[in-house]
């Protein structure tokens, strides 16, 4: 449930930032950065500290595809509107998750 809230918050605020006006746009951009950084930091902590969830969490494939499509559409939306730093921040998280998955798969194969 927490992952759904974090991902939806990052995606919604990223989509809202370029189309809103004034203070709402600034707030949405700040929220997109803050939530994106929080997700990245949590991912890095899990990567470095070796997450207690060694086996992947079973997420229904429909929900997983909704996450993937919405996340990458937010990255494309941010890049299209010139928010390259935000797009790069949102791109780092899936890369860290993928590296963590590869590392855990290799460790399981070696043991």
């Amino acid at each position: 449930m927490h992952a759904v809230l974090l991902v939806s918050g990052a995606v919604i605020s990223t989509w809202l930032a370029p189309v809103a006006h004034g203070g709402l746009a600034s707030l949405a951009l700040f929220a997109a950065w803050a939530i994106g950084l929080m997700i990245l930091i949590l991912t890095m902590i899990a990567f470095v500290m070796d997450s207690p969830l060694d086996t992947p969490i079973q997420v229904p494939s429909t929900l997983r595809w909704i996450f993937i499509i919405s996340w990458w559409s937010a990255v494309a939306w941010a890049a299209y509107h010139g928010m390259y730093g935000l797009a790069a921040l949102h791109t780092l998280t899936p890369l860290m998750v993928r590296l963590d998955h590869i590392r855990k798969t290799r460790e399981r194969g070696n043991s």
Side-chain angles (χ1 to χ4, degrees):
M1 184 63 181
H2 293 113
V4 172
L5 292 175
L6 284 174
V7 169
S8 61
V11 169
I12 290 169
S13 59
T14 302
W15 277 80
L16 187 60
V19 296
H21 298 286
L24 183 58
S26 296
L27 179 63
L29 188 58
F30 175 75
W33 273 103
I35 295 171
L37 278 173
M38 183 179 3
I39 292 171
L40 181 62
I41 289 169
L42 290 173
T43 303
M44 290 177 73
I45 288 172
F47 184 70
V48 172
M49 301 291 288
D50 200 20
S51 171
L53 303 171
D54 285 333
T55 57
I57 298 172
Q58 296 300 321
V59 177
S61 62
T62 306
L63 186 60
R64 187 176 62 230
W65 278 106
I66 290 171
F67 278 173
I68 291 169
I69 290 169
S70 61
W71 189 267
W72 289 113
S73 67
V75 170
W77 182 256
Y80 175 76
H81 285 282
M83 296 183 288
Y84 303 114
L86 185 61
L89 171 69
H90 285 356
T91 303
L92 281 175
T93 302
L95 293 177
M96 291 297 293
V97 169
R98 182 70 181 145
L99 287 173
D100 187 47
H101 178 71
I102 290 170
R103 180 181 59 89
K104 287 180 181 177
T105 303
R106 284 185 184 160
E107 286 177 358
R108 273 187 247 130
N110 291 337
S111 50

